Amino acid sequence: MSVERTLVLVKPDGVSRGLVGEVVGRLERKGLTLVALELRTLQRSVAETHYGEHAAKPFFGELVDFIVSGPLVALVAEGPRAVEAARGLIGATDPVKATPGSLRGDYALEIGQNLVHGSDSPESAKREIDLFFPGLS
Ligand code: IDP
């Protein structure tokens, strides 16, 4: 089984609601290993690059405004199929549709404030880790 790395963000709603420990704890209890972790407030340019694939979407401005609105926790987690494992813990994009037991299914209601980001493929993970933690992908 190939060991992968993935980027996870506890978005500003997760930090302000005191859910960092819950997110990090679930990743750790699943068996993923933390390789980097930092509290930071994103520059708008970094947020626009991170969400670049959504630049033409009607919600892009709202998405960027929200992700720069306060501190978030960025982390890199490592393990076998880490990208898929973290996405499973996080749950579907729309928290109302996310399975109960997943982070979004348990702790969020609005798609724009869905608590956590996780890379959606190994290729995205490399690009996102290079943006947040150069040299760690
Ligand atoms: P993901 O975060 O589950 O990978 P993406 O489709 O990559 O989902 O979308 C990135 C983020 O954009 C989502 O986590 C969500 O916060 C936001 N988003 C996606 N679709 C909508 C929408 O229709 N309205 C508002 N925000 C959205």
Side-chain angles (χ1 to χ4, degrees), residues 11 51 54 59 63 87 93 104 111-112 114:
K11 298 184 185 184
Y51 281 126
H54 298 298
F59 58 83
L63 179 60
R87 294 280 292 189
T93 306
R104 288 170 173 166
I111 197 165
N114 60 4

Side-chain angles (χ1 to χ4, degrees), residues 33-102:
T33 301
L34 297 179
V35 178
L37 186 150
E38 188 181 296
L39 185 77
R40 65 169 83 163
T41 302
L42 294 192
Q43 301 278 338
R44 181 165 287 270
S45 60
V46 173
E48 287 171 349
T49 300
H50 174 69
Y51 281 126
E53 69 180 280
H54 298 298
K57 307 262 176 70
F59 58 83
F60 183 66
E62 187 188 329
L63 179 60
V64 172
D65 285 347
F66 173 63
I67 205 76
V68 303
S69 66
L72 54 70
V73 167
L75 67 86
V76 177
E78 181 179 86
R81 292 192 289 162
V83 170
E84 195 181 346
R87 294 280 292 189
L89 292 175
I90 291 167
T93 306
D94 179 351
V96 171
K97 295 188 178 137
T99 311
S102 66

